[in-house]
Amino acid sequence: MSIQHALLTSLLEKPSTGYQLARRFDRSIGHFWQATHQQIYRELGRMAAAGWVEVEEKGDDGTRKRKVYHVLPEGQDELVRWASEPGSSGVSNEALMVKIRAEAVLGPIGVRHELERLIAWHEDRLASYRAIEARDFPKPDMPRGQRLQHRVLLKGISAEEDWLRWARETLPLL
């Protein structure tokens, strides 16, 4: 996932200065997508050069000038294009979380299809884990090492079940 798409989403939620955006980013999208303040400022410059955002200078009354960034239609189009593309796998949730936030701001942009695809991916992974469990851990009276290996597998099963529960609860909202 590109940090630019996360920044476009944040700016669509609320036009901001680079400083405001970096602070908001730390408290929201930053929980699942990390970016330094330097990265944010560098990407804002690139996005302005690409025509995705415009910079409005405020503070002409003798105060320090601040640059407030606003998303342009081209930036919104780019975000819709990116959000409608399928991700590479279901292992990482960062891109999906940003896509859902983008859909919250823009309205329906096709994220439902991505979530449906990922549900199928996670269902397959869960089925694979359960097949491994049935094959490799058939008895409760296993040696300690095998019981520990089973506990690791059970954590994977639990994570997939939890992800699928969340996804199925989210799907109707999309």
Side-chain angles (χ1 to χ4, degrees):
M1 175 183 76
S2 165
I3 186 175
Q4 293 176 340
H5 300 104
L7 294 174
L8 285 169
T9 299
S10 277
L11 289 172
L12 281 168
E13 291 171 344
K14 183 179 181 184
S16 306
T17 66
Y19 176 77
Q20 292 167 332
L21 180 62
R23 290 194 38 106
R24 263 195 14 257
F25 196 86
D26 288 344
R27 293 189 308 263
S28 61
I29 291 175
H31 291 294
F32 48 87
W33 179 260
Q34 300 298 313
T36 67
H37 290 208
Q38 287 177 336
Q39 284 176 296
I40 290 172
Y41 282 106
R42 185 171 48 249
E43 294 304 326
L44 285 170
R46 289 179 181 154
M47 291 161 51
W52 294 353
V53 297
E54 69 178 347
V55 182
E56 175 189 1
E57 293 204 13
K58 291 190 171 185
D60 292 335
D61 58 356
T63 61
R64 195 176 94 168
K65 287 190 176 186
R66 300 177 322 148
K67 294 179 179 180
V68 178
Y69 294 87
H70 301 267
V71 177
L72 294 170
E74 293 83 355
Q76 190 169 328
D77 291 346
E78 169 56 22
L79 185 58
V80 170
R81 182 205 60 76
W82 171 78
S84 64
E85 287 183 347
S88 57
S89 76
V91 176
S92 176
N93 286 318
E94 291 90 356
L96 178 63
M97 298 302 112
V98 172
K99 288 179 179 187
I100 290 171
R101 286 192 65 151
E103 180 148 322
V105 175
L106 297 171
I109 55 175
V111 178
R112 179 182 184 85
H113 302 297
E114 174 72 352
L115 187 57
E116 289 169 339
R117 184 187 71 78
L118 290 171
I119 286 172
W121 188 91
H122 282 275
E123 287 172 339
D124 289 347
R125 190 172 194 183
L126 179 58
S128 174
Y129 287 173
R130 286 188 173 143
I132 292 168
E133 182 181 34
R135 182 191 69 217
D136 295 350
F137 306 104
K139 301 181 226 164
D141 60 336
M142 299 177 283
R144 179 180 179 273
Q146 195 174 10
R147 287 193 325 262
L148 287 172
Q149 290 172 346
H150 188 214
R151 295 304 303 166
V152 171
L153 180 62
L154 288 173
K155 176 60 177 145
I157 290 171
S158 174
E160 292 304 321
E161 290 172 339
D162 183 57
W163 193 96
L164 286 165
R165 184 174 30 263
W166 169 85
R168 290 180 181 125
E169 290 171 358
T170 303
L171 191 61
L173 299 173
L174 297 172

